[in-house]
Each structure stands twice: as structure tokens, then as C-alpha cells.
Amino acid sequence: MSGRARAVLLVLCGAIFLEGADLAMMNVALPSIRADLGLSTGSLQWVMSGYVLGYGGFILLGGRTADLLGRRRMFLLWLTVFLAFSGLGGLASDGWMLLVARFVTGVAAAFTVPAGLSIITTMFPEGPRRAKALLIYAGTSAGGFSLGLVVGGLLTSIGWRWVFFAPVAFAAAILLAALRLIPHEPRTGPGPAGPGSVRGFDLPGAVSVTGAMLLIVFAVVRLEHGTEELGRTLGAFAAGLALLGVFVVVERRSAAPLVRLGVLRSGPLIRANLGAMMFVGSFFGFQLLAVLYLQEQRGWSAMRTSLALLPLGVDAVLAPTLTPLLVRRFGNVRVILGGLVLAIAAYALFLPLGADWSYALMAPAFLLIGLAFALSYGPLTIAATESVPRSEQGLAGGLLYTSTQFGAALGLSVASTVDVAFTGPGHAPGAALEGLRAALVVPVVAAVIGALVTATGLRRRTRGPGPVAGGGTGTGIGTSSYAATEPEPESESESESATGCRDYEPTSRLHASSSGLLPPGDSSPNFVHPQDR
């Protein structure tokens, strides 16, 4: 990896660190925001849900527009939007201003994050170097969330508005570095999917899929209200599914579809996305319940709670160091499955939660969750993007982050719903603790489902290879050993241009493939699956 490639990776890791830290800091700052702005509990919930709605609703579109309109352009444009509206949130004097700022910040993240991921997956050739880069990237993301809890506690003690202003300064530094370091994407000629061209852009597909995602995420977020206004929740679900059906019809008939539906026929890709959805959903549900227990049941301050959760950040150290060795030795599937088993064990340790547990009883679960993230999150990212043509890497990233956002929203909503249902309206002594204990079953079940989905990939791998999207063959969730399937290039010049970064701009033939003008199995000659080499 050249110095320029390392610098670009550092910039992109800074952006994903910011996204994770921003979300975590907001969790810690919510009580102070409610007290200062006089928000109701329902309005306060939408400070988080508004971000999730914007992120989950637009991320599939964000990933695909990075492929079609230029990854660098989308990354820089929407990072600027993120910066501006994060600052607006810090200046908010009323609840509606804060909600608008959080929604638009979520939309900006929906375009920035998959663009950054696709820059990495197209800059590094599939194999050990891409795997290492993605593990560093994923570890940085999880580390941003973990450290964001601590930083959020520190900033909130100064004033909650600094939770918004600090990301502005960090985003500005990333933006200046990105302008200088991320290489331009040269035009490869005119065409409906050519970079920088909107000619032939699938507007009906974009509108229908974005509307569907917004409605479905809105319905998932509303699950925590239980039977209250159940008709509205079901109506949103039904309308979202109807729009999703319209989207499928539009894509089948479009000469230049926004999403080539053939990519969804890949078993490994579907398993990776389902596994990521369940894994992230289990974590967010558990994290919500742990924070409620520490702050509301034990009376701990935001700062003390943040420090208590610090062991979760162990993955920031282990993901780029230990995980690549384990993936090379045991393969993606076994490492992911091992992480999910650790997550199940961690959540199970919390099930007999006591009213006066010492931190020594809680710490092992937090540490196991950090280890689970180190083992599962990065390899899931690799599995969701490998064997996908370069022209569809933004789409693959969009699908992955759509899955994780749906998982987060689902985990939060279901855990909250179970907690409220078992606590009951009377708030009898011990009822709150009983509600938490019942809700802690939710992350256990989600992690078990994720493990079962992953295990099917392991069983498939032992039976032999099967077809995957983009041509070639695949096994399980991902390739079994990068050392065996992906030889290193003979020289740096084979994979990187004179600028120090591989030319990651798709060719016009790849654009034709992603637009549906080529048969589903016909991808660019620039893309060769490792097992076909």
C-alpha cells in the first residue's frame, strides 16, 4: 500500500469515525437537550429517530448515486452538507430546528458513508489488501461509536451544543484533506451512467425506492409505540411495501435501472446483509437497555455511564490487528460466526440483571461485545462487498448500510416496546427492572438469528461453490481464505496508478453492465473473481 493510498484511507476512516462518534455523542446528550429546550419525550425520541429516518431512507439511493454520479463528488458534497447542518443543530433554539438538522444530517450521512466505502473497495483490489483496509475502516467506525460515548459525556458536561459544534470542526478538517488527497475520477466517455452525467438517470426508481425506505423506516421507528396509533404504523408499512413493489416493476422495465435486481440473487450477499442487520440490531437494543439501567435504575451520570461502556471500544484495536490473521486462518464465515457466538454469550450474561449489580459483574459482557464487534463487523463488511463488480460497489455499500440502519431501528424499537409492555403503566416497585430483564431477551434472539443465518453459509461452503453476483463462484458468506484465493500483485504499479491510488473509475462496459444493458452474469473484463483466476 503506497503512502498516497494510506493517506486516502486515513481520510475515509476519519469520515466513518465521525459518523459513529456523532451518533454516540447524541445518545449521551439527550437528557441535557430535553432539559434545555423543554422537549417532550416524544419529541426527544425524534432527535434520534429523525437521523435514522434520513439515513435509512436515503442510503440505498446514496450508494447508487455514488456509482453513477461520481464517488468523490458525492463524498465531498454531502460531507459539506453534514458539516453545515451539524452546526445548525448546535444553534437550534427550538425543537423543530433540531429535528430538521438531525434529519438532514442523517441524509448527508446516507450519501457520504457508502461513497467512502466504495472508494475503498474500488481503490484496493479484492484480496488481502482490501480485506485489511476494510477491517481498519470497520474498526475505526466501531471505535468512533465507543469513544464517542466518552467524548459525548465530556462535551455534554461543558454544554450539549458542543456535541454539534465539535463534529463541525472535525468534518472541516476531513473535507480539506479529502479535497487534496482523494483523486479525481476521469470521464470515460458519455453514457447514461457515465460519471458526472445525469442523462438516463432512473428518476422514477429513485423516487419510489426512497419513498419506500422512508415509509418502512418510519413504521419500524413507530413500533416502540405498541398498539398506540397502530393503524398509522401498519398503514406506513403497507404504503412502503407498495412503493417497494412499484420500484421492482420500474427497475425491471428500465433500460438504465438504478439497481440491477440480479445483484440480489447472490446468496452470500443476502446472508451478509441479514447477518449484519441482526448483529447491529442486537447491539443497539442492548446498548439502549444498558444505558437505561445505568442512568435510570442506578442513577449514574452520563460521564460515568460512558466510561463504564468503554470496554466496547476494544474492537478499535483488535479489528485491524487480530481479525485479519483470524480471517486468513479460518475464513470469513467462521470468524463472523465466532463473533456472533460471543455476542450471544455477552447478552445472556446480562439476562439475570440485578438491582445492585457491581461493575465487575457487568464488565465481562461489555468486553465480550467489544470482541464480538472485532470479529464480526469488519468481515461482514468484506462479505457484503466482495465479488461485486466495481461499477456496483456503491450499491453494495448502500445495501449493507441499509441493512445495518434497519437493524438498528428494529433493535431499538422492539427492545423499547418489550420494555414498556413488561414494565406496565403502574410503575410498581421492581417493575422497571422486570421490564429491562424481559427486553434483554430481544438482543439474544437477534444474535441467535444472525448466527443461524451465518451458519447456513458455513454449511453451503462445505458442500461446494455456488454462483454469486458479478460472475464467478463463491462459497458461504465470503471466500474461505484470502491468502489462498487472492495473490498479491507482483508490483505496486499493477494495482495503483501514478498518483499512488488505483484508478477506481468504472469503464463504460461496467456502466453498461450495471445499467442492465449486459446480461446479469456478464461483467467487466476488469473484474475477475478470485476463484476464476
Side-chain angles (χ1 to χ4, degrees):
M1 190 186 301
S2 70
R4 179 67 176 270
R6 290 190 185 94
V8 173
L9 180 60
L10 180 63
V11 170
L12 298 173
C13 284
I16 197 65
F17 180 91
L18 173 63
E19 190 270 337
D22 177 76
L23 190 61
M25 290 191 297
M26 195 58 53
N27 282 338
V28 179
L30 287 177
S32 298
I33 292 173
R34 172 162 58 182
D36 191 26
L37 297 183
L39 299 179
S40 65
T41 301
S43 297
L44 187 70
Q45 175 247 337
W46 277 105
V47 174
M48 289 298 295
S49 298
Y51 181 91
V52 172
L53 186 65
Y55 199 148
F58 283 85
I59 196 163
L60 189 57
L61 177 63
R64 196 63 183 127
T65 54
D67 289 331
L68 300 178
L69 304 182
R71 300 178 177 99
R72 182 181 189 272
R73 177 182 291 122
M74 291 294 101
F75 181 83
L76 296 176
L77 171 63
W78 288 99
L79 182 59
T80 304
V81 175
F82 184 98
L83 184 156
F85 277 85
S86 184
L88 178 63
L91 298 173
S93 58
D94 204 350
W96 70 266
M97 291 180 62
L98 188 60
L99 298 184
V100 169
R102 290 304 292 167
F103 176 77
V104 178
T105 302
V107 174
F111 283 83
T112 304
V113 171
L117 177 62
S118 63
I119 289 174
I120 293 175
T121 55
T122 53
M123 186 172 69
F124 295 97
E126 187 171 298
R129 290 197 296 167
R130 183 195 287 184
K132 183 176 181 179
L134 287 176
L135 290 171
I136 293 172
Y137 186 72
T140 303
S141 173
F145 187 87
S146 301
L147 294 178
L149 292 170
V150 179
V151 174
L154 290 170
L155 292 175
T156 302
S157 65
I158 301 172
W160 66 264
R161 296 183 187 275
W162 284 101
V163 170
F164 291 87
F165 293 147
V168 171
F170 195 51
I174 295 170
L175 183 62
L176 292 175
L179 283 167
R180 179 177 178 82
L181 292 172
I182 297 179
H184 289 273
E185 300 165 275
R187 289 180 178 271
T188 58
S197 172
V198 296
R199 185 159 60 92
F201 187 78
D202 182 15
L203 184 60
V207 171
S208 57
V209 74
T210 302
M213 293 297 101
L214 284 169
L215 286 167
I216 293 173
V217 173
F218 175 76
V220 169
V221 168
R222 285 192 56 83
L223 284 176
E224 65 185 56
H225 295 288
T227 57
E228 181 183 346
E229 299 185 19
L230 183 61
R232 180 180 297 183
T233 302
L234 294 177
F237 262 126
L241 292 175
L243 273 179
L244 206 56
V246 171
F247 169 71
V248 171
V249 172
V250 168
E251 297 308 279
R252 284 178 173 174
R253 296 180 177 179
S254 175
L258 185 72
V259 176
R260 182 176 64 83
L261 298 179
V263 76
L264 301 179
R265 299 191 187 106
S266 167
L269 183 144
I270 296 301
R271 277 190 291 273
N273 279 273
L274 286 176
M277 181 187 299
M278 292 296 103
F279 180 68
V280 172
S282 69
F283 170 76
F284 271 85
F286 176 81
Q287 186 248 346
L288 169 69
L289 299 172
V291 169
L292 288 175
Y293 171 71
L294 294 175
Q295 292 194 4
E296 296 187 357
Q297 296 298 307
R298 304 298 299 276
W300 289 16
S301 66
M303 187 62 200
R304 188 179 179 185
T305 300
S306 300
L307 292 174
L309 296 175
L310 192 58
L312 298 174
V314 69
D315 65 309
V317 177
L318 297 180
T321 55
L322 176 63
T323 308
L325 300 177
L326 294 176
V327 168
R328 285 192 179 215
R329 176 66 179 85
F330 300 105
N332 249 357
V333 183
R334 288 187 175 90
V335 174
I336 294 169
L337 185 58
L340 284 163
V341 170
L342 286 179
I344 294 169
Y347 302 144
L349 286 175
F350 241 74
L351 288 176
L353 187 64
D356 56 351
W357 267 19
S358 67
Y359 183 68
L361 291 174
M362 295 182 275
F366 297 151
L367 183 59
L368 284 176
I369 293 171
L371 291 172
F373 250 98
L375 294 182
S376 293
Y377 192 67
L380 281 168
T381 304
I382 297 169
T385 55
E386 71 176 355
S387 302
V388 176
R390 285 191 296 164
S391 63
E392 295 179 329
Q393 282 295 323
L395 170 62
L399 288 171
L400 173 64
Y401 288 115
T402 298
S403 299
T404 57
Q405 285 301 306
F406 265 68
L410 196 60
L412 288 169
S413 296
V414 175
S416 177
T417 300
V418 174
D419 181 25
V420 171
F422 279 82
T423 299
H427 295 288
L433 187 60
E434 289 301 320
L436 289 173
R437 286 173 180 160
L440 282 167
V441 176
V442 173
V444 175
V445 172
V448 167
I449 294 173
L452 291 175
V453 169
T454 303
T456 62
L458 183 63
R459 186 171 66 249
R460 175 185 174 88
R461 177 175 169 266
T462 61
R463 291 177 179 174
V468 299
T473 60
T475 54
I477 285 187
T479 55
S480 60
S481 173
Y482 293 108
T485 60
E486 178 69 20
E488 290 280 4
E490 294 180 3
S491 66
E492 191 78 15
S493 61
E494 289 185 19
S495 61
E496 294 183 0
S497 65
T499 63
C501 295
R502 176 177 167 178
D503 179 13
Y504 57 81
E505 182 57 35
T507 63
S508 57
R509 178 174 171 81
L510 276 170
H511 287 311
S513 176
S514 67
S515 300
L517 301 178
L518 295 177
D522 188 4
S523 58
S524 167
N526 294 331
F527 172 78
V528 182
H529 191 276
Q531 295 185 8
D532 292 337
R533 293 181 179 176

